[in-house]
């Protein structure tokens, strides 16, 4: 399954006229049994996405003892009371979405002397139930994060399920370009080829690699 996804990514990069390897695959390992994660690690993959700080904290330190080059990104919402743990644990956080969180991250990065890469989540569909800054507020929020010396790498989006995702990917790219950001965390199992065509640098694929999630 991993090989199939990687082959499709390469094909999509080629079709878009992009260099192979320019779209990184985040294997989303949330609520997957450890043996499945171990199997993907054994196949040589080293970049993973997790949704929850607690779950990642209980899983990844042990894996990283055996695979010190494994990189883990937080792709789920981050509560301010988990910021200290998140900064210590993750190589990137894709869900910076509010001023209070930005301030807490800035303080913790100063305190720990290390920083994950940071992506700002944009709620392009303006869905009330979804996290992320609204498109109209994105430029201001990016500037506020930069004023805090936060190392903002790029933007992240989860398009509405019932809309054409390419419209949202194009909007995210437009916001990123006008703010001089190169990272675009966008695209999942059902739409990552379209995301790559529009410049995705990080795509998030879970069950298509690991199999259906196993909830306790």
């Amino acid at each position: 399954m991993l090989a199939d996804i990687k082959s499709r990514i390469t094909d999509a990069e080629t079709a878009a006229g992009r260099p192979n390897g320019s779209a990184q695959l985040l294997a989303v390992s949330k609520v997957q049994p450890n043996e499945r994660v171990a199997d993907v690690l054994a196949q040589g993959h080293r970049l993973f996405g997790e949704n929850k700080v607690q779950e990642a904290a209980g899983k990844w330190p042990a894996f990283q003892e055996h695979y010190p080059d494994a990189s883990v990104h937080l792709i789920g919402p981050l509560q301010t009371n988990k910021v200290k743990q998140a900064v210590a644990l993750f190589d990137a956080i894709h869900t910076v979405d509010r001023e209070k969180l930005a301030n807490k991250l800035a303080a913790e990065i100063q305190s720990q002397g290390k920083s994950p890469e940071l992506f700002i989540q944009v709620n392009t569909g303006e869905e009330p139930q979804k996290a992320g800054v609204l498109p109209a507020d994105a430029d201001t929020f990016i500037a506020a994060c930069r004023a805090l010396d936060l190392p903002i790498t790029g933007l992240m989006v989860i398009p509405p399920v019932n809309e054409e995702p390419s419209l949202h990917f194009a909007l995210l790219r437009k916001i990123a370009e006008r703010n001089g950001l190169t990272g675009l965390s966008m695209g999942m199992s059902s739409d990552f080829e379209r995301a790559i065509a529009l410049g995705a640098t990080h795509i998030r694929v879970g069950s298509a690699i690991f199999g259906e999630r196993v909830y306790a």
Side-chain angles (χ1 to χ4, degrees):
M1 291 189 276
L2 176 66
D4 174 56
I5 296 294
K6 288 191 167 181
S7 171
R8 286 170 59 191
I9 290 169
T10 300
D11 290 347
E13 288 169 335
T14 302
R18 295 178 54 183
N20 291 157
S22 57
Q24 297 184 61
L25 170 61
L26 284 167
V28 180
S29 46
K30 67 174 183 179
V31 300
Q32 291 289 352
N34 280 357
E35 57 268 24
R36 292 186 186 173
V37 180
D39 181 56
V40 171
L41 281 160
Q43 291 178 61
H45 194 70
R46 293 290 181 270
L47 184 57
F48 294 82
E50 288 282 347
N51 264 49
K52 293 185 176 172
V53 177
Q54 287 304 108
E55 185 187 346
K59 180 191 295 181
W60 280 101
F63 278 131
Q64 286 172 318
E65 281 183 26
H66 298 282
Y67 300 99
D69 56 340
S71 179
V72 188
H73 292 201
L74 180 67
I75 58 171
L78 178 57
Q79 297 165 295
T80 50
N81 65 346
K82 298 282 197 324
V83 164
K84 182 174 184 176
Q85 201 174 9
V87 169
L89 185 62
F90 294 105
D91 296 294
I93 294 169
H94 290 235
T95 51
V96 182
D97 65 348
R98 59 200 186 280
E99 196 175 338
K100 185 179 178 186
L101 177 59
N103 285 319
K104 196 82 188 258
L105 281 164
E108 196 52 51
I109 287 165
Q110 286 291 322
S111 172
Q112 293 192 29
K114 72 177 280 278
S115 178
E117 286 186 277
L118 300 175
F119 291 74
I120 290 169
Q121 183 171 353
V122 183
N123 184 354
T124 56
E126 303 187 18
E127 297 173 276
Q129 81 283 9
K130 196 173 278 182
V133 298
L134 297 176
D137 301 329
D139 295 0
T140 304
F141 185 64
I142 292 165
C145 288
R146 284 174 164 159
L148 291 168
D149 280 336
L150 288 176
I152 303 298
T153 302
L155 306 177
M156 183 269 242
V157 70
I158 304 169
V161 292
N162 56 350
E163 294 184 19
E164 170 51 54
S166 295
L167 300 173
H168 297 271
F169 299 154
L171 174 57
L172 195 76
R173 183 168 78 170
K174 197 173 177 182
I175 297 169
E177 283 174 346
R178 70 171 179 250
N179 284 284
L181 294 169
T182 55
L184 291 170
S185 174
M186 60 189 198
M188 296 186 281
S189 297
S190 61
D191 56 25
F192 70 78
E193 279 107 341
R194 282 173 282 180
I196 290 169
L198 286 162
T201 57
H202 296 73
I203 62 169
R204 310 179 297 270
V205 179
S207 50
I209 293 171
F210 294 100
E212 287 305 310
R213 294 193 180 102
V214 179
Y215 291 92

